[in-house]
Each structure stands twice: as C-alpha cells, then as structure tokens.
Amino acid sequence: LRVVSPARSAEIADACRYFSLLALDGPAEGVSITGAKYPLQNAAITWENSFAVSNEVLPGGKARVSLANGLLLLAELWE
C-alpha cells in the first residue's frame, strides 16, 4: 500500500499483477494513469466509485499515477 499525492506521484512496475486506486479524505481530482491497460486522464475519483480498481501495467513497461488534488491509496498485488 502506498499513498499518492499531488507532490508524490507513483510508478508501478510490470511485475505488479494488479493495482487499484481508492480516494482518501475526500475526492481525488485530476487523476491520470499512463502505461496501464485502463488509462485515465484528468479524472475524479471518489470513495463511492470503483472504476479505478483491478488495473494492469502494460507488459514490459511501467504505469504512472499522478493527481492534481486530494489523496489516493494505491494498492498493489504482486506476482
């Protein structure tokens, strides 16, 4: 588990089988995910929605998660 903030983006290696993002302490805004099976650009994630769960890093690469406002809990399931 890691916390992602506007000041601390995250990189996820392809050895990670699945990763999920959950909003902490209110909505997370301006969320972007690149290098993943399900990319996002400038999205909002709230505790109530679950569209940022069970994502996958593209083979041979790294996924990157960043956001403009709020906090995200990044949960990683490793091989």
Side-chain angles (χ1 to χ4, degrees):
L1 298 175
R2 292 192 270 168
V3 174
V4 182
S5 70
R8 179 184 244 170
S9 59
E11 282 193 353
I12 307 156
D14 68 345
C16 176
R17 185 167 182 176
Y18 298 104
F19 68 94
S20 298
L21 299 171
L22 301 170
L24 293 175
D25 195 33
E29 300 169 325
V31 179
S32 294
I33 303 171
T34 60
K37 185 174 182 178
Y38 305 106
L40 283 178
Q41 186 171 2
N42 201 31
I45 295 177
T46 64
W47 182 255
E48 294 84 15
N49 67 32
S50 60
F51 66 85
V53 298
S54 298
N55 206 339
E56 300 173 41
V57 179
L58 294 176
K62 291 184 181 182
R64 289 174 180 79
V65 177
S66 62
L67 71 154
N69 296 302
L71 294 172
L72 289 170
L73 179 66
L74 167 62
E76 299 165 283
L77 176 63
W78 294 88
E79 295 279 344

